[in-house]
Amino acid sequence: MIRRPNPSLFVALAALVVAACGQQGEATDAAPAAGEGGEVNLYTARHYDADLRLYEMFEEQTGIRINRIEGNADQLIARMEAEGDNSPADVFVTADAGAMWRAQNAGLLQSTSSETLNSRIPANLRAPGGEWYGFSRRARVVAYDSTKVQPEEVDTYEELASPRFRGRLCVRSGDNVYNLSLVGALIEAWGPEKTQQWVEGVVANLARTPEGGDRDQIRAIAAGVCEVALTNSYYYIRLANGDDAGDREVTETVKLAFPSLDGQGSHVNISGGGVAANAPNRDNAVRLLEFLSSPEAQTLVSQYNNEFPASPDVAAPAPVDAYADFTAHPMSVAVYGQNQAQAQSMISAAGWR
C-alpha cells in the first residue's frame, strides 16, 4: 500500500498529475485490489515524500498497483540474493551508481531495451547494457567557509588534499558509498598512483575523525571545526532553503563550490533503478522505469528532493535552478562501481575511517 505524503506536498504537486486511469479508493490497512494493469513489486532504498507522490501518480495513471519494500541498498541486495530465482522483486531503486553496480554485479538486474529510456537518459548516466538508469543527478562538491577560503582555493578536487588545508577538512566515513564513488572516479581519471596520494592527503588534512552525514560536515564548518568539507549538492540546497532558520543562517557564510576534475567539470552521481533479474511483472517494471524517467517525474524529484534532473532537456526547477549552472564531468557513472574495490582498498590503507 502506498502511504500518502503530507497534504501540502500533495496540493503543491497537483499540477503535475495527468488524468487518472481509475477512481482511487480510500487508503486502508489492507492491501488494495490490483488495478486493471496488475501490479509491480518495488524494492527501494529511497524514502522521500516526493518519491511516494510519484508512486501515487503512477498508480493513478496506469492502474498498476505498486507493492513497496524498503531498506537500505545493501539490505535489499542481500534480500534479493537470498530470495534467488523466486524473488518477487520487479524493480530495484537506490541512490548512487556504485550501489546500482553492486546489484548488477551480483546478477540481480537484467538488461532493459527501451527506446523511451535510452532517449531520455544520457548514455553516461546509465549502465551500458541497460541494467539500470539514472533518473536524477547529484554533484559531490565542496562546502567552504567564505570568510576564510577563497573560491579559487577550492576549484579543483586536488586542492582538498593540499597542505593548504592541513587539519581543516571535514568528511564523512571513507566507506560511505558517496566517497567510494568519488574515489572510483578519480581512479578512472588519474590512475591509482595519483589517487592514492590524494586519499592520503585527505586523511592528512582531517580536522577530526570522520563522523556524521554530509549536513553534519556543513554545520561543522559554520561551528569553526573545519574550513572545507565534501558534500553532495542537495544536502547544502536543503539547508539553504529549509524551514530551519539556523540551517539557513549556516549557508550565509558557508558557500558551495563546484570543483573541476581535470578541467572537465564536477563529479556527478545518480539515483536510479533497474529491472530485477527474475521480475515476475517485467512489462510493468519497464513501465515504472519509463515513468520515473519522464519530465514530470524528474521535475518533481528535483523540486522536492533538490537533486538535478538527469535529462539535459528537463530544466531544473526552483530552488535547484540557482545551483544548476555548473559543468558536469562527462565520465560514465558506470565506472564508479567497477573501481569500487580498488577505491575501498586505497581508503582503508590510508586510514580513512
Side-chain angles (χ1 to χ4, degrees):
M1 182 180 71
I2 300 297
R3 64 178 184 269
R4 297 184 179 276
N6 62 66
S8 61
L9 178 60
F10 183 91
V11 173
L13 301 178
L16 293 176
V17 181
V18 298
C21 289
Q23 191 70 25
Q24 292 282 96
E26 293 296 321
T28 68
D29 290 334
E36 293 181 1
E39 62 184 3
V40 62
N41 301 316
L42 171 66
Y43 284 34
T44 178
R46 286 174 57 91
H47 321 290
Y48 305 114
D49 277 355
D51 290 43
L52 298 179
R53 182 59 193 130
L54 282 178
Y55 304 149
E56 288 186 332
M57 289 170 62
F58 177 77
E59 288 189 333
E60 291 165 359
Q61 292 180 29
T62 65
I64 298 171
R65 183 184 69 196
I66 295 178
N67 304 312
R68 194 176 75 256
I69 298 295
E70 293 186 349
N72 66 42
D74 289 338
Q75 289 171 338
L76 294 174
I77 289 171
R79 176 172 179 153
M80 293 168 70
E81 288 181 312
E83 291 168 343
D85 293 345
N86 296 318
S87 175
D90 290 309
V91 173
F92 174 69
V93 167
T94 192
D96 200 281
M100 291 301 315
W101 179 86
R102 289 179 190 173
Q104 177 187 349
N105 192 51
L108 300 176
L109 302 177
Q110 62 175 278
S111 178
T112 303
S113 179
S114 165
E115 292 184 8
T116 297
L117 289 168
N118 290 339
S119 65
R120 288 175 176 171
I121 306 303
N124 70 310
L125 301 182
R126 48 185 162 93
E131 290 85 1
W132 47 265
Y133 293 80
F135 302 130
S136 60
R137 296 178 300 146
R138 67 275 299 276
R140 190 140 189 81
V141 289
V142 175
Y144 67 97
D145 185 339
S146 62
T147 68
K148 300 175 182 177
V149 179
Q150 297 301 310
E152 58 269 21
E153 293 181 287
V154 285
D155 59 4
T156 71
Y157 290 94
E158 286 99 326
E159 287 160 332
L160 290 178
S162 72
R164 159 71 176 86
F165 294 115
R166 194 73 77 224
R168 300 177 182 181
L169 171 66
C170 284
V171 294
R172 66 194 298 169
S173 65
D175 61 0
N176 176 265
V177 71
Y178 304 152
N179 289 330
L180 288 172
S181 288
L182 173 59
V183 175
L186 299 183
I187 292 171
E188 191 70 18
W190 296 341
E193 182 176 351
K194 181 177 178 179
T195 303
Q196 183 69 62
Q197 292 172 354
W198 183 87
V199 171
E200 292 170 355
V202 164
V203 173
N205 286 352
L206 292 179
R208 64 179 183 184
T209 301
E211 61 179 63
D214 282 3
R215 278 175 286 199
D216 297 307
Q217 315 313 316
I218 298 169
R219 293 173 181 135
I221 296 174
V225 176
C226 43
E227 295 181 3
V228 291
L230 274 169
T231 181
N232 279 354
S233 52
Y234 61 92
Y235 288 115
Y236 180 91
I237 298 172
R238 288 177 190 170
L239 295 184
N241 297 276
D243 295 330
D244 189 293
D247 282 340
R248 293 197 304 273
E249 185 177 354
V250 163
T251 61
E252 291 178 7
T253 54
V254 180
K255 300 302 179 182
L256 200 63
F258 287 79
S260 182
L261 175 56
D262 288 347
Q264 297 186 65
S266 297
H267 167 75
V268 296
N269 210 318
I270 56 97
S271 284
V275 176
N278 300 294
N281 303 290
R282 187 183 187 281
D283 290 345
N284 287 347
V286 174
R287 289 187 69 181
L288 178 56
L289 293 186
E290 290 177 342
F291 171 79
L292 294 175
S293 75
S294 68
E296 293 87 354
Q298 290 188 51
T299 299
L300 186 151
V301 170
S302 181
Q303 183 175 1
Y304 288 96
N305 205 43
N306 301 142
E307 297 171 87
F308 301 107
S311 172
D313 299 324
V314 178
V320 180
D321 57 342
Y323 306 88
D325 186 21
F326 73 97
T327 300
H329 198 286
M331 182 183 296
S332 171
V333 300
V335 305
Y336 305 162
Q338 296 169 18
N339 293 337
Q340 194 169 97
Q342 189 174 15
Q344 182 65 78
S345 178
M346 289 182 178
I347 286 170
S348 298
W352 183 351
R353 307 304 180 198

